[in-house]
Amino acid sequence: MRIIAIPTEIADTVRSTGKAPVYGHPSYTDVAKGYGPCRHCLRAFRAGEESRTLFTYSPFLSASEVPLPGPIYIHAEACSRFDEAAGYPEDMRPHPVVLNVYGSGQQLLEQEHVDDGRAEIAMGRLFERVDAAYIHVRDKKAGCYDFRVER
């Protein structure tokens, strides 16, 4: 499985312009009050220590013509993009997530809630579906998009 964080170009654009790419909405930067993760490096924010930038992003930009924008955070300072081959992000293991399995485009096929840190096991099983194209990992508490998983 490949873990797909948001593209570096998106993070760099938000940091340099103060606006969300595609939508042009202003971004907002403040000291982290929650754990995160940064959608670029997929590390949890150190609450009270690091600054994070909030902006509007659609995780379907490359998968469908129909956008589904929502709020996401990145580190306010530049960070390295998560390595796609690095496996499930360690900082994400303790956090409950929702796995949304999609077919081609934006067709939601199945949804699974994972509360025990065993998201990789669930994703392996979900990818047994021949019609599964990708999985979106979302935070179970806030509902926001964290990252994409591909075969």
Side-chain angles (χ1 to χ4, degrees):
M1 288 181 268
R2 291 180 19 221
I3 306 296
I4 313 295
I6 67 165
T8 298
E9 298 77 27
I10 298 276
D12 288 348
T13 298
V14 172
R15 290 182 186 115
S16 67
T17 67
K19 294 184 179 184
V22 179
Y23 304 100
H25 303 148
S27 63
Y28 174 76
T29 300
D30 199 1
V31 175
K33 294 174 182 65
Y35 59 85
C38 169
R39 283 19 174 234
H40 185 248
C41 68
L42 301 181
R43 289 189 341 259
F45 293 106
R46 292 187 316 266
E49 297 178 31
E50 295 180 300
S51 291
R52 63 183 182 178
T53 299
L54 173 71
F55 67 99
T56 304
Y57 178 75
S58 177
F60 291 104
L61 286 176
S62 63
S64 174
E65 293 180 15
V66 180
L68 189 60
I72 65 168
Y73 289 99
I74 58 172
H75 281 105
E77 300 296 322
C79 56
S80 297
R81 187 169 185 256
F82 188 80
D83 179 356
E84 293 180 5
Y88 196 83
E90 287 301 318
D91 284 7
M92 295 293 300
R93 288 190 190 284
H95 304 291
V97 294
V98 176
L99 306 176
N100 288 335
V101 183
Y102 292 94
S104 61
Q106 231 172 337
Q107 180 187 10
L108 182 62
L109 303 174
E110 190 172 342
Q111 184 179 78
E112 184 165 332
H113 296 240
V114 179
D115 298 311
D116 62 4
R118 297 180 178 196
E120 288 166 305
I121 293 168
M123 289 186 296
R125 185 185 57 72
L126 293 168
F127 272 134
E128 289 176 3
R129 292 184 64 131
V130 294
D131 55 348
Y134 57 93
I135 296 172
H136 280 182
V137 177
R138 302 183 76 86
D139 183 276
K140 187 172 177 180
K141 289 182 183 176
C144 50
Y145 172 80
D146 288 334
F147 57 90
R148 177 182 174 118
V149 182
E150 298 177 354
R151 295 177 199 269

